[in-house]
Each structure stands twice: as structure tokens, then as C-alpha cells.
Amino acid sequence: DSGVTQTPKHLITATGQRVTLRCSPRSGDLSVYWYQQSLDQGLQFLIQYYNGEERAKGNILERFSAQQFPDLHSELNLSSLELGDSALYFCASSGAGEGNEQFFGPGTRLTVL
Amino acid sequence: TQLLEQSPQFLSIQEGENLTVYCNSSSVFSSLQWYRQEPGEGPVLLVTVVTGGEVKKLKRLTFQFGDARKDSSLHITAAQPGDTGLYLCAAHIYNQGGKLIFGQGTELSVKP
């Protein structure tokens, strides 16, 4: 158990809909990262928040947005969903450890029908 | 173009055999991490290497970081069926903040 929690575990929805994925980081970690894992693209970095502020952005679509709240939990919002958005979405958190080690949650499997 | 090249992509071996997985890039890493992932679960951190030339051992797993900090390898001695899984290397690249760049992964299957 990494200490990072994610809900829900599974999400099935239709094209055009909007969903929210939730992540709680390890106790004491200020940074939260979101990644998308699909069969053809592997693990891709989406966005990072540090203590409530956006720190870095990766290949995140404009239809996707995220935020980190004062209690440090984070939400990833996916809107106008398309079939190609079906993937595993992982949240990771890090503290101030050597090499900025990131610890991953169990993921949310999103299926868009 | 993949920034982090991992090879081989697939590996199927018998229990007791040794194997090596490679992770290479043309970029210099500030640090590199190896993860193991099982189907439907999140990647689990195995090790972090930071210093060029560094070697770390974790039971039957040996991790090496290249002197130039552009490559790394994972060697498993006497593989067991419990080692089966997806092995991922991931790196922090200088001046690209905290994000991790992942290799494509090596799918290892160890048959009894």
C-alpha cells in the first residue's frame, strides 16, 4: 500500500459526459501528479500540483482540468469524453525524498462507451 | 520519438534464468526510478538511482545507473514466477521539473 488513495476504482460512462477522479496523497506529501496509461501510449504525464498551485503541465487536453485543494487532495476533471479517453488514470504523490520519488495510487479505470 | 527507450519489450523465460532489462536515452537524467506494475494496479517503486555509476541491490535485483547518467539497467538473478509483471523505468530530466518520463515497459513472464 503506497498510501495514495484514488476513487473511484472503475468508472463507465458515455461519450460526451463529464467525470471527476479523486486522489488523496500520502500524508505529508505536497506534490500530486496525474498520469494517463493507455495500451498504445504507455504512461504519460498530465499535470502536477504543488501545495495547491499548478507546477508543471504535460500532454493534457484542454477538455481535461485538475485542481488541488487546501487539504492537498486533488481532482482530475475530464469533460466531453471521447472513446479514446478510455484508459487508466493514476495519481502519484511525492515529498522531499531523494530523486523526488513518486508513489502511485491504485488508479481509476475509465471506460467510455 | 520516445525519450526513454526500454528493451526488450517482452521477455519470457524459465524459472531460475537470469535476465537484464535496459533503459536508454540521449538525455541526461537527474534521477531514475524503476517500477514494477501488475495488471490493473499502480506502479510500485522498486529503487531510485541518483549518482552516475551507482549500483543498488534489492535481493535478487541489481540496478545500475550509467556513468553518464543516460542509461540504466535492471538485472534479475534466478528469476521466479513471482517476478512476473511489467517493469518500467522512469526518469527525471534536467530542467523539466518534477514530472517523470516513462519508458514503454518490459513485460516479463517467468514460467515455472
Side-chain angles (χ1 to χ4, degrees), chain B residues 17-51:
Chain B
E17 292 184 11
N18 301 333
L19 67 114
T20 303
V21 177
Y22 299 93
C23 184
N24 298 287
S25 176
S26 57
S27 300
V28 177
F29 310 140
S30 58
S31 68
L32 186 137
Q33 289 155 10
W34 285 93
Y35 290 85
R36 179 167 171 263
Q37 185 180 20
E38 304 217 26
E41 297 182 11
V44 175
L45 181 64
L46 297 175
V47 78
T48 297
V49 286
V50 178
T51 306

Side-chain angles (χ1 to χ4, degrees), chain B residues 2-112:
Chain B
Q2 189 72 24
L3 192 59
L4 218 54
E5 296 289 339
Q6 199 173 330
S7 62
Q9 195 173 348
F10 300 97
L11 199 49
S12 181
I13 61 173
Q14 292 296 128
E15 183 175 2
E17 292 184 11
N18 301 333
L19 67 114
T20 303
V21 177
Y22 299 93
C23 184
N24 298 287
S25 176
S26 57
S27 300
V28 177
F29 310 140
S30 58
S31 68
L32 186 137
Q33 289 155 10
W34 285 93
Y35 290 85
R36 179 167 171 263
Q37 185 180 20
E38 304 217 26
E41 297 182 11
V44 175
L45 181 64
L46 297 175
V47 78
T48 297
V49 286
V50 178
T51 306
E54 185 175 4
V55 177
K56 281 191 174 179
K57 292 197 173 188
L58 187 68
K59 297 182 181 178
R60 292 177 293 100
L61 278 60
T62 301
F63 304 86
Q64 198 157 0
F65 200 17
D67 290 340
R69 305 161 69 112
K70 293 183 178 182
D71 58 275
S72 181
S73 64
L74 156 61
H75 182 80
I76 301 180
T77 303
Q80 299 176 0
D83 295 328
T84 294
L86 179 68
Y87 289 82
L88 295 156
C89 65
H92 287 103
I93 310 295
Y94 279 112
N95 301 320
Q96 293 200 21
K99 70 178 183 182
L100 281 174
I101 308 296
F102 279 85
Q104 312 97 306
T106 294
E107 190 73 57
L108 173 64
S109 174
V110 183
K111 296 180 176 11

Side-chain angles (χ1 to χ4, degrees), chain A residues 19-106:
Chain A
V19 297
T20 297
L21 282 52
R22 184 188 167 100
C23 167
S24 291
R26 291 187 318 160
S27 178
D29 283 356
L30 298 179
S31 277
V32 168
Y33 310 79
W34 285 98
Y35 293 84
Q36 179 192 59
Q37 187 176 36
S38 57
L39 283 174
D40 57 342
Q41 294 285 329
L43 263 162
Q44 299 284 322
F45 169 75
L46 296 177
I47 197 163
Q48 176 197 359
Y49 277 81
Y50 177 82
N51 202 20
E53 296 200 0
E54 183 183 304
R55 179 62 65 94
K57 237 175 179 177
N59 300 321
I60 187 167
L61 300 171
E62 284 191 13
R63 300 183 285 109
F64 296 0
S65 65
Q67 52 185 333
Q68 186 179 26
F69 295 86
D71 67 352
L72 300 179
H73 91 270
S74 179
E75 292 181 355
L76 179 66
N77 301 295
L78 315 176
S79 62
S80 304
L81 285 167
E82 302 175 359
L83 296 177
D85 296 329
S86 295
L88 273 165
Y89 290 85
F90 290 104
C91 165
S93 74
S94 72
E98 181 184 80
N100 205 17
E101 295 175 332
Q102 294 182 23
F103 296 88
F104 282 75

